[in-house]
Structure formats: structure tokens, C-alpha cells
Amino acid sequence: MKTRTTIKDVAEAAGVGVATVSRVLSGGSASQPTRERVLAVAAELDYRPSALGRNLRQRRTGGIGLLVPDITDSFHGRVADGVLACARAAGEPVILGATGDDAESEAELIGVLLEQGVERVIAVPSGAPEPWGPAIRAGMTVVFADRRVISRDNALSAVPAVLADERAGVRNAVEYLVGLGHRRIAYLGGVGQPQRAAAFRDTLTALGIAIDEELIVFGRGTRDSAYAAASGLFQHRPDLTGVIAGGNVLGEAAVLAARELDLRVPRDVSLIMFDDVPWAELCAPPLTVIAPPAQDIGYRAAELVLRTAGRRTRGVRLPTELIIRGSCGPRR
């Protein structure tokens, strides 16, 4: 029996990305040679997605697509748990995909969801606008969770998002460290978190503390990259006295790097982590954290995606909490 041609088969045969095929087949922008090549290959391979020859909306499969960067990450796992709880109550299945915070992987997964006729998707997006064009043009109902996609495209900018109040959370953390006497405070950031870094800078400025760009460093999404960023920060700036880590992978890296370099927390360096995870309380000392409501973010995102279809909906911003434990102390 002949296997059904997929969008990935068309992309490989045409020598383009999955996102390009999806864009061409949904009527989006592409150069004329690219458009002709993709359409010719699709015809040659007898590719028949729901968007060709029939209206995508007439082929409802139900269900919700859920795209997260890393299913092993505790925060994303709790977001997924919230989505699953809401979807289960509504009787909707969930199709889960991991993007690795990579725009190309994200585009490929969106293409697969479109091919399968999935009409609703919740995503912790990579931040790149390009993968989402085909989904928006095909009429897919999209809700972002934890992050937004910044774009000049009005349709993409209008996608509702369920977010934690990151700015308030980071502001509270910086003010807490400054209140303990710290002035040389570092920020260890990651991918897709521009609001957290901006809030760090803005709070220092508001408190009259000069911004030292050497104390603001970024790692990529992997644990190795996060550890390298944390270790380099501690070694290049031994004068720093406080660190705010922008996520649990970054916080884990900061704890490990401090231990390797014989830095005592909080005697030598005070540490605050964005996100509360079970191991944070098991550290010695337990970590002070900015706790976002991860499960609530997922649940509210699922509520939105289930009721949004065809209607403009405002996003939701949920409060964070600064949970003070034992990893911060007065500047010595």
C-alpha cells in the first residue's frame, strides 16, 4: 500500500523548508520560482493536504496542539499539566510537540499540525514570527503561553497570550537584593525572555544604580550553555555579590558553578531564581525564587484557545510571588 505523502516529503523534494511549503500552500508570500517549484513537486507527489481542494475548516479533527521548548523542563511540564487538565475536562485530546526553542523545528511542527487538520494550538513560542504566518493565514486558533511573539504583522501581534507578570517579579527581586545592601547584581538570562532582562535594567535605573553590561549575560537553552554562562560570569566578575537567574535551568547552572568555584551561598553571593521547582527547596540553603503560576498559565491558555475561535480575545497576565528562603543575605 502506498504511503501518504507528507508536507516534509514535499519540502525535501523541493529543496525548501517545511515552513515555506506551508506558506505557499496556504497562499502566503513566496518568490514566483519557489512557488512554482513547490506546487509542481506537490502535484508530482500527489500531496493532498486539507488546505488543497477543500476548506480546512470543513475538516475538523478536534484536539489541541501544544508546542513547548523542552518537555523535560519542570516549568514547561507544569504548563503542559495545566493544558491537559483543562483539555481533559473539555473532552479534547492534546497533541504535544517539543521545539527545542528552534524556529525551524517550530515551523515543521506547525506544518504537521496544519496537515493533520488541527485547528487550535497553544505554544510557548521560540520568539521568531516566521513560523506562525501559515498558521494565522490558515485560520488556526493560536494562544501563546509564557511568551509573546513580537511582530509587525497585526494579525500575529493580536494573538492572545497568557503571561506571568515577569516585570513585577524581577522588580521585586532586584529591590529585595538592593534592600540587603547589594549593588553589584548580575542577571543571568536565557532565550525568549526579553521582558525579564528589560525589567532588570529598568529597576536598577529607577533605583539609581548604574547598569554594568558585563553583569548581564545570556545562555542558550541547553544546560551546558547555561553552565558556561554562569561559570564565566562568576570567574570574570568576582566582585559581584548577587545574581538573578532568569529560569530554572539557569538557576541550576548558577548553583553548580558556585559550588565548583567554592563560592558560598549566600555568604559570598546571594542568588534568586525565576521559577519555583521542587529541587529549589532541597538546595543548601534553599533558594529564594520568583514563582510564576506555571500550571495556571497552561490552564488559562487552554480555556482561551477553546473559546477564542473566530473572536478577538484579550490576553491574561497572572501575578508572580517572591518566595524568600535562605539563599540571600546582606552584602558583606
Side-chain angles (χ1 to χ4, degrees), residues 200-268:
F200 178 78
R201 289 186 170 94
D202 291 346
T203 305
L204 288 179
T205 300
L207 294 173
I209 300 173
I211 296 173
D212 186 341
E213 292 294 340
E214 286 189 355
L215 293 178
I216 302 175
V217 299
F218 294 89
R220 295 186 298 279
T222 66
R223 281 176 163 77
D224 286 346
S225 174
Y227 180 84
S231 181
L233 175 65
F234 287 140
Q235 292 182 72
H236 291 131
R237 291 301 300 266
D239 59 325
L240 68 84
T241 63
V243 176
I244 297 175
N248 65 70
V249 172
L250 296 158
E252 176 187 291
V255 169
L256 293 174
R259 184 180 302 163
E260 289 290 324
L261 296 169
D262 292 325
L263 293 173
R264 296 163 295 179
V265 177
R267 183 177 180 86
D268 299 322

Side-chain angles (χ1 to χ4, degrees), residues 171-183 185 203-204 207 209 270 272 322 328-331:
R171 181 175 66 247
N172 291 340
V174 174
E175 289 174 346
Y176 176 61
L177 288 174
V178 171
L180 290 172
H182 297 277
R183 296 297 182 270
I185 304 168
T203 305
L204 288 179
L207 294 173
I209 300 173
S270 291
I272 298 177
L322 182 64
C328 296
R331 181 177 66 87

Side-chain angles (χ1 to χ4, degrees), residues 3 66 90 92 97 163 173 193 286:
T3 59
L66 173 59
E92 292 282 356
L163 309 169
Q193 303 170 351

